[in-house]
Amino acid sequence: MFKHIALAAFAAVTLMHGVLLAAEPMTRVGEFTIYHNAVNADTLSPEVAKAHKIERSHYRGVLNVSVIKDQVGTTGIPVKALVDVAIVDSADQSVRVPMHEIEERGFVSYIGAFPIADGQEITFDIKVRPVGVAEPTVVRMSQEFFYR
């Protein structure tokens, strides 16, 4: 039960901050919507951070990715996907962000933590391939992070 509440809180926090911080917190591809957002790790509650083994620090960021498939008469259904994320620097060098699947009561999300510096703009290449789909979609997202 606690894990479910923690997951719901994490999703609420990241979605709320995603709307405030990311210009495009979602990408539509065919019958799927890919939600993607990032927040400072220190904005997570201690319970949520502990439940998902995330270090709460203003030197860390957290990326959250989820995929929803259109389903008539509903808001959609969460689906599993292969999610691969890299941070791309100004010289086009990339560093992989390890992503971890969270599945709880039918909700599926992928999270990964990464280092940040005050005022740093980070560009993410997010490669998503929903289960059953042949070709992945690559979403490029940039976000600037500030210490609190």
Side-chain angles (χ1 to χ4, degrees):
M1 179 69 168
F2 173 78
K3 190 174 179 183
H4 177 67
I5 293 169
L7 178 61
F10 177 76
V13 167
T14 57
L15 287 175
M16 177 184 70
H17 284 286
V19 170
L20 296 174
L21 298 176
E24 284 289 323
M26 66 181 204
T27 301
R28 294 260 323 137
V29 179
E31 62 186 338
F32 298 96
T33 302
I34 303 167
Y35 290 92
H36 44 83
N37 54 30
V39 297
N40 292 46
D42 64 349
T43 63
L44 301 175
S45 73
E47 297 80 19
V48 170
K50 182 178 179 182
H52 300 292
K53 299 179 177 103
I54 298 169
E55 177 188 355
R56 290 182 76 239
S57 167
H58 64 266
Y59 300 109
R60 307 282 295 162
V62 178
L63 178 70
N64 183 34
V65 178
S66 58
V67 182
I68 305 296
K69 182 177 182 180
D70 295 341
Q71 186 173 21
V72 177
T74 71
T75 56
I77 57 170
V79 296
K80 290 189 175 200
L82 296 175
V83 178
D84 187 50
V85 176
I87 292 175
V88 182
D89 67 16
S90 58
D92 265 348
Q93 299 295 317
S94 64
V95 175
R96 190 170 179 279
V97 176
M99 300 296 286
H100 305 282
E101 181 180 286
I102 299 171
E103 184 177 8
E104 183 71 28
R105 298 184 187 206
F107 180 78
V108 182
S109 186
Y110 301 87
I111 60 170
F114 51 91
I116 61 173
D118 193 32
Q120 179 182 18
E121 182 171 350
I122 295 179
T123 300
F124 302 91
D125 277 348
I126 306 166
K127 188 187 300 184
V128 178
R129 186 172 64 83
V131 171
V133 174
E135 294 297 316
T137 296
V138 178
V139 176
R140 182 163 268 201
M141 174 183 119
S142 293
Q143 184 168 318
E144 195 168 5
F145 292 86
F146 296 96
Y147 294 159
R148 297 183 180 269

PDB file of all heavy atoms in Angstrom, residues 86-110:
ATOM      1  N   ALA A  86      19.756   9.126 -23.026  1.00  0.00           N
ATOM      2  CA  ALA A  86      21.118   9.649 -22.976  1.00  0.00           C
ATOM      3  C   ALA A  86      21.046  11.166 -22.806  1.00  0.00           C
ATOM      4  O   ALA A  86      20.158  11.818 -23.339  1.00  0.00           O
ATOM      5  CB  ALA A  86      21.880   9.298 -24.242  1.00  0.00           C
ATOM      6  N   ILE A  87      22.000  11.690 -22.044  1.00  0.00           N
ATOM      7  CA  ILE A  87      22.187  13.137 -21.941  1.00  0.00           C
ATOM      8  C   ILE A  87      23.226  13.505 -22.985  1.00  0.00           C
ATOM      9  O   ILE A  87      24.285  12.881 -23.065  1.00  0.00           O
ATOM     10  CB  ILE A  87      22.664  13.531 -20.533  1.00  0.00           C
ATOM     11  CG1 ILE A  87      21.548  13.291 -19.530  1.00  0.00           C
ATOM     12  CG2 ILE A  87      23.130  14.982 -20.512  1.00  0.00           C
ATOM     13  CD1 ILE A  87      21.951  13.528 -18.090  1.00  0.00           C
ATOM     14  N   VAL A  88      22.905  14.494 -23.803  1.00  0.00           N
ATOM     15  CA  VAL A  88      23.791  14.903 -24.891  1.00  0.00           C
ATOM     16  C   VAL A  88      24.389  16.260 -24.551  1.00  0.00           C
ATOM     17  O   VAL A  88      23.664  17.208 -24.254  1.00  0.00           O
ATOM     18  CB  VAL A  88      23.016  14.982 -26.220  1.00  0.00           C
ATOM     19  CG1 VAL A  88      23.935  15.352 -27.365  1.00  0.00           C
ATOM     20  CG2 VAL A  88      22.299  13.666 -26.501  1.00  0.00           C
ATOM     21  N   ASP A  89      25.732  16.366 -24.603  1.00  0.00           N
ATOM     22  CA  ASP A  89      26.365  17.645 -24.285  1.00  0.00           C
ATOM     23  C   ASP A  89      26.538  18.489 -25.545  1.00  0.00           C
ATOM     24  O   ASP A  89      26.158  18.086 -26.647  1.00  0.00           O
ATOM     25  CB  ASP A  89      27.684  17.445 -23.532  1.00  0.00           C
ATOM     26  CG  ASP A  89      28.777  16.796 -24.373  1.00  0.00           C
ATOM     27  OD1 ASP A  89      28.667  16.761 -25.618  1.00  0.00           O
ATOM     28  OD2 ASP A  89      29.752  16.309 -23.771  1.00  0.00           O
ATOM     29  N   SER A  90      27.114  19.664 -25.389  1.00  0.00           N
ATOM     30  CA  SER A  90      27.251  20.597 -26.508  1.00  0.00           C
ATOM     31  C   SER A  90      28.171  20.083 -27.614  1.00  0.00           C
ATOM     32  O   SER A  90      28.107  20.554 -28.742  1.00  0.00           O
ATOM     33  CB  SER A  90      27.749  21.955 -26.000  1.00  0.00           C
ATOM     34  OG  SER A  90      28.990  21.789 -25.340  1.00  0.00           O
ATOM     35  N   ALA A  91      29.015  19.094 -27.321  1.00  0.00           N
ATOM     36  CA  ALA A  91      29.906  18.504 -28.326  1.00  0.00           C
ATOM     37  C   ALA A  91      29.299  17.229 -28.924  1.00  0.00           C
ATOM     38  O   ALA A  91      29.984  16.459 -29.575  1.00  0.00           O
ATOM     39  CB  ALA A  91      31.258  18.191 -27.705  1.00  0.00           C
ATOM     40  N   ASP A  92      27.995  17.017 -28.695  1.00  0.00           N
ATOM     41  CA  ASP A  92      27.275  15.829 -29.168  1.00  0.00           C
ATOM     42  C   ASP A  92      27.802  14.522 -28.585  1.00  0.00           C
ATOM     43  O   ASP A  92      27.618  13.462 -29.155  1.00  0.00           O
ATOM     44  CB  ASP A  92      27.229  15.758 -30.694  1.00  0.00           C
ATOM     45  CG  ASP A  92      25.942  16.344 -31.249  1.00  0.00           C
ATOM     46  OD1 ASP A  92      25.013  16.596 -30.451  1.00  0.00           O
ATOM     47  OD2 ASP A  92      25.856  16.533 -32.472  1.00  0.00           O
ATOM     48  N   GLN A  93      28.468  14.608 -27.440  1.00  0.00           N
ATOM     49  CA  GLN A  93      28.862  13.405 -26.701  1.00  0.00           C
ATOM     50  C   GLN A  93      27.678  13.025 -25.813  1.00  0.00           C
ATOM     51  O   GLN A  93      26.994  13.896 -25.285  1.00  0.00           O
ATOM     52  CB  GLN A  93      30.096  13.684 -25.832  1.00  0.00           C
ATOM     53  CG  GLN A  93      31.317  14.111 -26.619  1.00  0.00           C
ATOM     54  CD  GLN A  93      31.817  13.009 -27.536  1.00  0.00           C
ATOM     55  OE1 GLN A  93      31.885  11.856 -27.140  1.00  0.00           O
ATOM     56  NE2 GLN A  93      32.142  13.358 -28.760  1.00  0.00           N
ATOM     57  N   SER A  94      27.456  11.721 -25.666  1.00  0.00           N
ATOM     58  CA  SER A  94      26.303  11.327 -24.858  1.00  0.00           C
ATOM     59  C   SER A  94      26.722  10.440 -23.690  1.00  0.00           C
ATOM     60  O   SER A  94      27.690   9.699 -23.766  1.00  0.00           O
ATOM     61  CB  SER A  94      25.255  10.620 -25.718  1.00  0.00           C
ATOM     62  OG  SER A  94      25.769   9.412 -26.222  1.00  0.00           O
ATOM     63  N   VAL A  95      25.950  10.570 -22.619  1.00  0.00           N
ATOM     64  CA  VAL A  95      26.129   9.764 -21.417  1.00  0.00           C
ATOM     65  C   VAL A  95      24.780   9.127 -21.119  1.00  0.00           C
ATOM     66  O   VAL A  95      23.763   9.830 -21.024  1.00  0.00           O
ATOM     67  CB  VAL A  95      26.581  10.629 -20.219  1.00  0.00           C
ATOM     68  CG1 VAL A  95      26.645   9.792 -18.946  1.00  0.00           C
ATOM     69  CG2 VAL A  95      27.905  11.303 -20.505  1.00  0.00           C
ATOM     70  N   ARG A  96      24.775   7.822 -20.989  1.00  0.00           N
ATOM     71  CA  ARG A  96      23.530   7.084 -20.757  1.00  0.00           C
ATOM     72  C   ARG A  96      23.004   7.346 -19.343  1.00  0.00           C
ATOM     73  O   ARG A  96      23.763   7.428 -18.389  1.00  0.00           O
ATOM     74  CB  ARG A  96      23.792   5.589 -20.946  1.00  0.00           C
ATOM     75  CG  ARG A  96      22.547   4.782 -20.973  1.00  0.00           C
ATOM     76  CD  ARG A  96      22.834   3.343 -21.415  1.00  0.00           C
ATOM     77  NE  ARG A  96      21.626   2.585 -21.398  1.00  0.00           N
ATOM     78  CZ  ARG A  96      21.083   2.047 -20.315  1.00  0.00           C
ATOM     79  NH1 ARG A  96      21.663   2.199 -19.141  1.00  0.00           N
ATOM     80  NH2 ARG A  96      19.965   1.362 -20.388  1.00  0.00           N
ATOM     81  N   VAL A  97      21.680   7.466 -19.245  1.00  0.00           N
ATOM     82  CA  VAL A  97      20.995   7.595 -17.958  1.00  0.00           C
ATOM     83  C   VAL A  97      20.323   6.248 -17.686  1.00  0.00           C
ATOM     84  O   VAL A  97      19.417   5.857 -18.425  1.00  0.00           O
ATOM     85  CB  VAL A  97      19.926   8.712 -17.979  1.00  0.00           C
ATOM     86  CG1 VAL A  97      19.161   8.755 -16.662  1.00  0.00           C
ATOM     87  CG2 VAL A  97      20.547  10.053 -18.299  1.00  0.00           C
ATOM     88  N   PRO A  98      20.763   5.520 -16.670  1.00  0.00           N
ATOM     89  CA  PRO A  98      20.111   4.239 -16.364  1.00  0.00           C
ATOM     90  C   PRO A  98      18.655   4.477 -15.949  1.00  0.00           C
ATOM     91  O   PRO A  98      18.389   5.286 -15.064  1.00  0.00           O
ATOM     92  CB  PRO A  98      20.915   3.674 -15.191  1.00  0.00           C
ATOM     93  CG  PRO A  98      22.173   4.483 -15.139  1.00  0.00           C
ATOM     94  CD  PRO A  98      21.869   5.805 -15.758  1.00  0.00           C
ATOM     95  N   MET A  99      17.749   3.787 -16.621  1.00  0.00           N
ATOM     96  CA  MET A  99      16.326   3.927 -16.332  1.00  0.00           C
ATOM     97  C   MET A  99      15.830   2.659 -15.645  1.00  0.00           C
ATOM     98  O   MET A  99      16.263   1.552 -15.980  1.00  0.00           O
ATOM     99  CB  MET A  99      15.545   4.169 -17.625  1.00  0.00           C
ATOM    100  CG  MET A  99      15.968   5.429 -18.378  1.00  0.00           C
ATOM    101  SD  MET A  99      15.659   6.973 -17.485  1.00  0.00           S
ATOM    102  CE  MET A  99      13.885   7.096 -17.649  1.00  0.00           C
ATOM    103  N   HIS A 100      14.927   2.845 -14.696  1.00  0.00           N
ATOM    104  CA  HIS A 100      14.366   1.732 -13.936  1.00  0.00           C
ATOM    105  C   HIS A 100      12.858   1.725 -14.097  1.00  0.00           C
ATOM    106  O   HIS A 100      12.217   2.767 -13.971  1.00  0.00           O
ATOM    107  CB  HIS A 100      14.729   1.852 -12.456  1.00  0.00           C
ATOM    108  CG  HIS A 100      16.199   1.958 -12.235  1.00  0.00           C
ATOM    109  ND1 HIS A 100      17.042   0.887 -12.289  1.00  0.00           N
ATOM    110  CD2 HIS A 100      16.985   3.032 -12.002  1.00  0.00           C
ATOM    111  CE1 HIS A 100      18.281   1.279 -12.088  1.00  0.00           C
ATOM    112  NE2 HIS A 100      18.276   2.584 -11.912  1.00  0.00           N
ATOM    113  N   GLU A 101      12.309   0.549 -14.366  1.00  0.00           N
ATOM    114  CA  GLU A 101      10.866   0.417 -14.514  1.00  0.00           C
ATOM    115  C   GLU A 101      10.203   0.348 -13.144  1.00  0.00           C
ATOM    116  O   GLU A 101      10.673  -0.345 -12.251  1.00  0.00           O
ATOM    117  CB  GLU A 101      10.534  -0.847 -15.296  1.00  0.00           C
ATOM    118  CG  GLU A 101       9.049  -1.051 -15.508  1.00  0.00           C
ATOM    119  CD  GLU A 101       8.751  -2.319 -16.291  1.00  0.00           C
ATOM    120  OE1 GLU A 101       8.987  -2.325 -17.513  1.00  0.00           O
ATOM    121  OE2 GLU A 101       8.289  -3.291 -15.667  1.00  0.00           O
ATOM    122  N   ILE A 102       9.111   1.072 -13.027  1.00  0.00           N
ATOM    123  CA  ILE A 102       8.263   1.005 -11.835  1.00  0.00           C
ATOM    124  C   ILE A 102       6.894   0.554 -12.328  1.00  0.00           C
ATOM    125  O   ILE A 102       6.307   1.187 -13.205  1.00  0.00           O
ATOM    126  CB  ILE A 102       8.119   2.383 -11.158  1.00  0.00           C
ATOM    127  CG1 ILE A 102       9.469   2.899 -10.698  1.00  0.00           C
ATOM    128  CG2 ILE A 102       7.138   2.294  -9.990  1.00  0.00           C
ATOM    129  CD1 ILE A 102       9.429   4.326 -10.215  1.00  0.00           C
ATOM    130  N   GLU A 103       6.420  -0.542 -11.777  1.00  0.00           N
ATOM    131  CA  GLU A 103       5.087  -1.025 -12.136  1.00  0.00           C
ATOM    132  C   GLU A 103       4.310  -1.259 -10.860  1.00  0.00           C
ATOM    133  O   GLU A 103       4.762  -1.974  -9.970  1.00  0.00           O
ATOM    134  CB  GLU A 103       5.172  -2.322 -12.935  1.00  0.00           C
ATOM    135  CG  GLU A 103       3.835  -2.816 -13.405  1.00  0.00           C
ATOM    136  CD  GLU A 103       3.915  -4.057 -14.264  1.00  0.00           C
ATOM    137  OE1 GLU A 103       5.004  -4.643 -14.381  1.00  0.00           O
ATOM    138  OE2 GLU A 103       2.877  -4.444 -14.801  1.00  0.00           O
ATOM    139  N   GLU A 104       3.167  -0.621 -10.777  1.00  0.00           N
ATOM    140  CA  GLU A 104       2.343  -0.736  -9.573  1.00  0.00           C
ATOM    141  C   GLU A 104       0.884  -0.597  -9.962  1.00  0.00           C
ATOM    142  O   GLU A 104       0.492   0.442 -10.512  1.00  0.00           O
ATOM    143  CB  GLU A 104       2.744   0.348  -8.571  1.00  0.00           C
ATOM    144  CG  GLU A 104       2.014   0.305  -7.266  1.00  0.00           C
ATOM    145  CD  GLU A 104       2.413  -0.871  -6.384  1.00  0.00           C
ATOM    146  OE1 GLU A 104       3.557  -1.342  -6.501  1.00  0.00           O
ATOM    147  OE2 GLU A 104       1.573  -1.313  -5.592  1.00  0.00           O
ATOM    148  N   ARG A 105       0.117  -1.635  -9.709  1.00  0.00           N
ATOM    149  CA  ARG A 105      -1.335  -1.615  -9.942  1.00  0.00           C
ATOM    150  C   ARG A 105      -1.712  -1.122 -11.334  1.00  0.00           C
ATOM    151  O   ARG A 105      -2.592  -0.271 -11.495  1.00  0.00           O
ATOM    152  CB  ARG A 105      -2.032  -0.813  -8.871  1.00  0.00           C
ATOM    153  CG  ARG A 105      -1.831  -1.414  -7.500  1.00  0.00           C
ATOM    154  CD  ARG A 105      -2.600  -0.685  -6.464  1.00  0.00           C
ATOM    155  NE  ARG A 105      -2.219  -1.206  -5.153  1.00  0.00           N
ATOM    156  CZ  ARG A 105      -2.987  -1.175  -4.110  1.00  0.00           C
ATOM    157  NH1 ARG A 105      -4.164  -0.639  -4.181  1.00  0.00           N
ATOM    158  NH2 ARG A 105      -2.564  -1.673  -2.968  1.00  0.00           N
ATOM    159  N   GLY A 106      -1.029  -1.617 -12.337  1.00  0.00           N
ATOM    160  CA  GLY A 106      -1.362  -1.287 -13.713  1.00  0.00           C
ATOM    161  C   GLY A 106      -0.685  -0.042 -14.263  1.00  0.00           C
ATOM    162  O   GLY A 106      -0.776   0.230 -15.452  1.00  0.00           O
ATOM    163  N   PHE A 107      -0.020   0.726 -13.435  1.00  0.00           N
ATOM    164  CA  PHE A 107       0.683   1.921 -13.894  1.00  0.00           C
ATOM    165  C   PHE A 107       2.148   1.560 -14.139  1.00  0.00           C
ATOM    166  O   PHE A 107       2.762   0.894 -13.320  1.00  0.00           O
ATOM    167  CB  PHE A 107       0.591   3.039 -12.847  1.00  0.00           C
ATOM    168  CG  PHE A 107       1.282   4.296 -13.257  1.00  0.00           C
ATOM    169  CD1 PHE A 107       0.697   5.159 -14.156  1.00  0.00           C
ATOM    170  CD2 PHE A 107       2.541   4.599 -12.769  1.00  0.00           C
ATOM    171  CE1 PHE A 107       1.343   6.319 -14.546  1.00  0.00           C
ATOM    172  CE2 PHE A 107       3.195   5.758 -13.155  1.00  0.00           C
ATOM    173  CZ  PHE A 107       2.594   6.612 -14.045  1.00  0.00           C
ATOM    174  N   VAL A 108       2.685   1.976 -15.270  1.00  0.00           N
ATOM    175  CA  VAL A 108       4.081   1.700 -15.599  1.00  0.00           C
ATOM    176  C   VAL A 108       4.779   3.024 -15.874  1.00  0.00           C
ATOM    177  O   VAL A 108       4.270   3.875 -16.607  1.00  0.00           O
ATOM    178  CB  VAL A 108       4.201   0.803 -16.853  1.00  0.00           C
ATOM    179  CG1 VAL A 108       5.650   0.492 -17.156  1.00  0.00           C
ATOM    180  CG2 VAL A 108       3.405  -0.474 -16.687  1.00  0.00           C
ATOM    181  N   SER A 109       5.945   3.197 -15.272  1.00  0.00           N
ATOM    182  CA  SER A 109       6.726   4.406 -15.466  1.00  0.00           C
ATOM    183  C   SER A 109       8.200   4.029 -15.452  1.00  0.00           C
ATOM    184  O   SER A 109       8.573   2.990 -14.908  1.00  0.00           O
ATOM    185  CB  SER A 109       6.429   5.402 -14.346  1.00  0.00           C
ATOM    186  OG  SER A 109       7.069   6.637 -14.585  1.00  0.00           O
ATOM    187  N   TYR A 110       9.024   4.855 -16.042  1.00  0.00           N
ATOM    188  CA  TYR A 110      10.469   4.631 -16.088  1.00  0.00           C
ATOM    189  C   TYR A 110      11.143   5.869 -15.527  1.00  0.00           C
ATOM    190  O   TYR A 110      10.846   6.987 -15.959  1.00  0.00           O
ATOM    191  CB  TYR A 110      10.911   4.355 -17.530  1.00  0.00           C
ATOM    192  CG  TYR A 110      10.202   3.148 -18.082  1.00  0.00           C
ATOM    193  CD1 TYR A 110       8.952   3.266 -18.692  1.00  0.00           C
ATOM    194  CD2 TYR A 110      10.749   1.880 -17.940  1.00  0.00           C
ATOM    195  CE1 TYR A 110       8.279   2.146 -19.148  1.00  0.00           C
ATOM    196  CE2 TYR A 110      10.084   0.752 -18.409  1.00  0.00           C
ATOM    197  CZ  TYR A 110       8.843   0.899 -18.998  1.00  0.00           C
ATOM    198  OH  TYR A 110       8.174  -0.226 -19.442  1.00  0.00           O
TER     199      TYR A 110
END
